[in-house]
Amino acid sequence: METLRDAFAAELNTMPDPELCALEPFMAFCAGHRIGNPKAADLNAYSELYDIESQSLRDLALAFERLGLGDGICKCAIKASVARQHKVTFQGIPKRTNRRYIRSVSVPVTELPCDWQKTLRRLRLERTYAASILDRMERRLGMFAWSAQQAGRPIDLTDTAALKGLYDTMRMRSALKNDGTPRWSYLRSTWEELRRFARAHGLPKEVWDKLTKTYENSDRLEGRQQALKIAKAREAGSLPELLIKAEKMLDAARDARHPQMRHALRNRATAIALGCAIPARPQDVLVHHILGKGIVFEPARGAYRITYTPQKTRTTTGATIDIPLLPDWNKFIDAVILQDQDPRYLGQLRANAIANQRPLYVHYNGTPAVYSWYSRMWETVAKTGGQIARTLVYDEAVFSGEAGIQYGRCVNGHAPNSPVVAKYRSERATKALVTQGQDIMAAGYGADEDISDLL
């Protein structure tokens, strides 16, 4: 600033305070980065790194004009101001939940029996189960209470008629949503929560046995029914196919006309790519996909590491996810950090994001992505929510034997004793037997068969 004052003493002495206040930090920025002839990229990076307001950039343009630094730098400052204003006032992103939920087939927790509410509060305090499991338990109990009220029965898990009414209602509702066939996983998960609550509430063993009978029957029917997630996995495609789509989106972002579209494409590409590498539930994306927290950069490797304990299974079958990503994945995370800025500033932008523990997915206007955003991105690209990636990882892994299954376990955050791991071991054995049978058939009947004359 002293050098500037010597060269433009008269102009600086008469410069209004807003212009002087805008000019001084920018000159310090240029000195710190050894910039002798600042360009548009430098002004844009300056405004992003230090969260400069649009008006301050306009004052900076006036200061440049007063000093006679030329039309070029003045226009760059004005453009940076316009771009900054466009970001902060952009209205294309909802600031809050944009769906209104109307409770129609359940009652709120506050309307459950007082002793039930007491047990639920205790479970929350003791953290016996993950928050998502307790949320589901409360919803299912609310549905049971609503169903019992509709049937004129007491809100009591010992009442067989009330339980039968819930079963019939849920089966009918599920069938209506699924072409006449109920999803047995829906009923199985409901009775799973009722059993959990019955045990925590200290209900008699007879009640537990009755709930278990329905639970086991639903579980058996679910096992015979083709899992919905398998059908969705077929529609979604393989992990390599999804990764190719993510890379194409990243390339397309460079050519998109509008800055908000470029920003959105980079976010979406990264959500799909990281989901292929380390599948995550939406809650984990919201809580753990944070730079400097669940996602860290390791300078020695020149790559990122993702490490956290999944929210849903942290007290049951979960294990800590601790995966060092290969440098190949840098381009996705770097893209959402850098966005339209000059790559020269990547290091400082990354350091700022890590120091501030910035959520990985931030919208164009600076607001963090909400809980439902991650699943919406997967729905857009793969026609189903992001949790399908957990199935796809195991589907790819079973063909690589035990090593593949262990890889799927690690990236999904499943403990070695998780029943999910045992299920996929069984899945691998089944596929191996089918493959062996096909090989035997080919060896026995294919060798001597000549159909060349039919081609």
Side-chain angles (χ1 to χ4, degrees):
M1 193 68 185
E2 292 299 325
T3 303
L4 189 68
R5 185 173 293 280
D6 292 339
F8 300 98
E11 291 86 351
L12 291 172
N13 287 335
T14 59
M15 184 176 286
D17 283 347
E19 295 175 23
L20 196 60
C21 289
L23 180 64
E24 187 167 4
F26 179 70
M27 298 310 296
F29 168 79
C30 290
H33 289 80
R34 298 182 179 181
I35 301 170
N37 185 22
K39 305 293 185 184
D42 303 306
L43 280 158
N44 289 332
Y46 167 68
S47 66
E48 179 71 22
L49 283 166
Y50 299 101
D51 197 21
I52 306 299
E53 294 182 358
S54 175
Q55 183 57 51
S56 181
L57 291 168
R58 289 187 176 277
D59 292 334
L60 184 59
L62 293 174
F64 290 156
E65 184 179 3
R66 192 178 300 277
L67 295 174
L69 297 182
D71 288 344
I73 188 68
C74 294
K75 288 179 180 178
C76 287
I78 291 296
K79 286 182 178 179
S81 172
V82 171
R84 196 71 180 164
Q85 185 67 15
H86 183 255
K87 263 192 174 185
V88 299
T89 59
F90 186 67
Q91 298 296 316
I93 302 162
K95 301 291 192 302
R96 57 185 66 84
T97 303
N98 57 3
R99 294 177 62 188
R100 294 178 63 88
Y101 295 94
I102 300 175
R103 192 182 299 274
S104 59
V105 293
S106 67
V107 302
V109 175
T110 53
E111 293 183 17
L112 294 175
C114 292
D115 58 332
W116 285 22
Q117 294 183 46
K118 184 177 179 180
T119 298
L120 290 170
R121 285 195 298 269
R122 175 172 59 80
L123 292 175
R124 291 277 183 189
L125 290 172
E126 293 175 352
R127 297 186 178 182
T128 307
Y129 302 109
S132 59
I133 291 177
L134 289 172
D135 289 342
R136 187 172 70 173
M137 183 187 294
E138 290 177 353
R139 289 194 298 269
R140 297 299 193 263
L141 290 172
M143 293 171 71
F144 171 73
W146 178 87
S147 176
Q149 289 174 348
Q150 296 299 304
R153 306 300 303 178
I155 303 175
D156 186 351
L157 290 176
T158 65
D159 190 288
T160 301
L163 287 169
K164 187 178 184 303
L166 175 66
Y167 183 91
D168 292 341
T169 298
M170 295 191 70
R171 178 173 175 168
M172 178 188 68
R173 286 175 56 82
S174 180
L176 288 173
K177 292 180 180 179
N178 294 282
D179 300 324
T181 304
R183 294 300 308 173
W184 296 111
S185 59
Y186 182 49
L187 281 89
R188 186 265 308 156
S189 65
T190 298
W191 259 257
E192 183 177 13
E193 299 308 331
L194 296 183
R195 287 201 320 157
R196 279 196 181 114
F197 180 77
R199 172 176 286 173
H201 198 55
L203 292 178
K205 183 178 181 299
E206 292 77 15
V207 177
W208 166 267
D209 290 341
K210 181 166 56 178
L211 294 171
T212 297
K213 184 177 180 180
T214 305
Y215 166 80
E216 290 178 343
N217 183 58
S218 299
D219 186 57
R220 178 178 56 81
L221 291 170
E222 180 188 1
R224 288 164 46 186
Q225 186 179 57
Q226 183 186 38
L228 181 61
K229 64 182 180 182
I230 293 177
K232 288 184 175 181
R234 290 174 179 169
E235 184 178 1
S238 67
L239 289 181
E241 290 170 342
L242 288 169
L243 190 55
I244 289 172
K245 288 183 180 180
E247 290 179 332
K248 287 182 177 179
M249 277 187 282
L250 204 59
D251 292 338
R254 288 195 294 266
D255 301 324
R257 178 180 178 184
H258 301 292
Q260 62 269 27
M261 193 61 203
R262 296 194 294 271
H263 194 109
L265 280 171
R266 293 182 184 115
N267 278 355
R268 186 183 302 164
T270 303
I272 300 302
L274 287 191
C276 291
I278 303 175
R281 296 181 177 91
Q283 181 68 16
D284 290 324
V285 172
L286 186 69
V287 175
H288 299 300
H289 281 204
I290 295 175
L291 293 159
K293 189 178 176 184
I295 301 176
V296 297
F297 184 75
E298 298 178 329
R301 293 194 312 113
Y304 294 90
R305 177 183 291 270
I306 295 183
T307 176
Y308 63 87
T309 301
Q311 292 288 105
K312 182 177 180 180
T313 57
R314 68 182 187 274
T315 59
T316 53
T317 60
T320 297
I321 291 173
D322 186 13
I323 305 294
L325 292 173
L326 294 174
D328 293 344
W329 300 93
N330 286 10
K331 60 186 175 184
F332 293 104
I333 300 178
D334 287 348
V336 298
I337 294 174
L338 191 63
Q339 290 296 347
D340 282 343
Q341 301 300 334
D342 192 298
R344 290 180 294 129
Y345 293 100
L346 174 60
Q348 192 170 353
L349 287 164
R350 181 196 288 138
N352 275 18
I354 289 172
N356 296 327
Q357 293 196 346
R358 195 206 86 173
L360 181 61
Y361 304 111
V362 174
H363 293 306
Y364 174 68
N365 62 0
T367 57
V370 297
Y371 174 89
S372 58
W373 175 87
Y374 182 72
S375 285
R376 285 205 303 270
M377 295 305 98
W378 272 81
E379 183 71 37
T380 300
V381 176
K383 310 305 179 187
T384 186
Q387 291 200 50
I388 200 64
R390 303 170 64 79
T391 300
L392 293 175
V393 163
Y394 271 123
D395 284 350
E396 297 282 340
V398 293
F399 291 106
S400 301
E402 184 64 23
I405 292 174
Q406 289 304 317
Y407 167 78
R409 177 185 70 77
C410 289
V411 298
N412 274 309
H414 289 143
N417 61 343
S418 170
V420 178
V421 178
K423 171 189 177 298
Y424 280 98
R425 280 200 184 95
S426 175
E427 179 81 2
R428 177 179 177 265
T430 301
K431 289 186 176 182
L433 287 173
V434 171
T435 301
Q436 183 181 16
Q438 291 173 339
D439 290 343
I440 292 172
M441 290 177 65
Y445 301 102
D448 298 328
E449 187 172 354
D450 183 6
I451 60 169
S452 58
D453 60 324
L454 300 178
L455 299 178

